[in-house]
Amino acid sequence: MCLLDEVVGWDAAGVHARTDSHRRADHPLRSDDRLRALHLCEYGAQAMAVHGGLVARAAGGAAKPGYLVSLREVELHVARIDDLAGTLDVHAERLLGGEGSWQYAFRVEHRGALLASGRAAVMQARERGPR
């Protein structure tokens, strides 16, 4: 499931992406004919994953799979997002990064208004050795 449409810009610290996917009638997270603001956390998580992939590729490698292990300080400023006309701007900023774990701040905006923000921790999946 890819919810982001385009990367507007990125650097070692973060990424800015855009999307119109919140308006799709067949959105995979839609239920009861609505797309709730809580799902903006997924948009933020996808921006983090895109950022990790871009940074890894720029370093000559590939991003390894990771798990979203926590969300903190999440603030939602709307109840739903499927009724918003226009594009969503999704920002993710890496706060800390080390060997196998990262912390990001994310925010999602619509026409300059903040819809959601928070922080997330991601841990790299362990490589499985032979059994």
Side-chain angles (χ1 to χ4, degrees):
M1 166 179 66
C2 182
L3 301 177
L4 303 176
D5 295 329
E6 67 174 320
V7 172
V8 177
W10 74 279
D11 58 23
V15 65
H16 173 198
R18 287 193 181 129
T19 187
D20 289 312
S21 69
H22 63 290
R23 299 183 309 177
R24 290 181 22 208
D26 65 343
H27 194 289
L29 299 176
R30 191 182 271 263
S31 64
D32 299 325
D33 202 31
R34 292 178 182 226
L35 186 60
R36 288 161 178 76
L38 179 61
H39 295 109
L40 291 170
C41 295
E42 176 64 23
Y43 283 85
Q46 288 196 13
M48 294 173 224
V50 166
H51 182 256
L54 290 168
V55 169
R57 185 168 47 182
K64 295 180 180 173
Y67 296 107
L68 180 65
V69 294
S70 73
L71 290 169
R72 297 180 185 265
E73 298 178 7
V74 173
E75 294 184 13
L76 305 174
H77 300 279
V78 294
R80 60 190 285 195
I81 59 172
D82 56 285
D83 58 348
L84 299 175
T87 302
L88 300 181
D89 287 287
V90 184
H91 301 267
E93 176 188 0
R94 186 169 50 187
L95 303 173
L96 297 170
E99 194 61 36
S101 66
W102 305 270
Q103 288 192 20
Y104 278 86
F106 70 90
R107 73 182 190 281
V108 183
E109 301 171 343
H110 176 257
R111 296 183 176 168
L114 183 62
L115 301 178
S117 62
R119 291 184 304 124
V122 177
M123 292 188 68
Q124 183 177 320
R126 289 187 196 165
E127 292 186 32
R128 295 184 182 209
R131 291 186 181 228

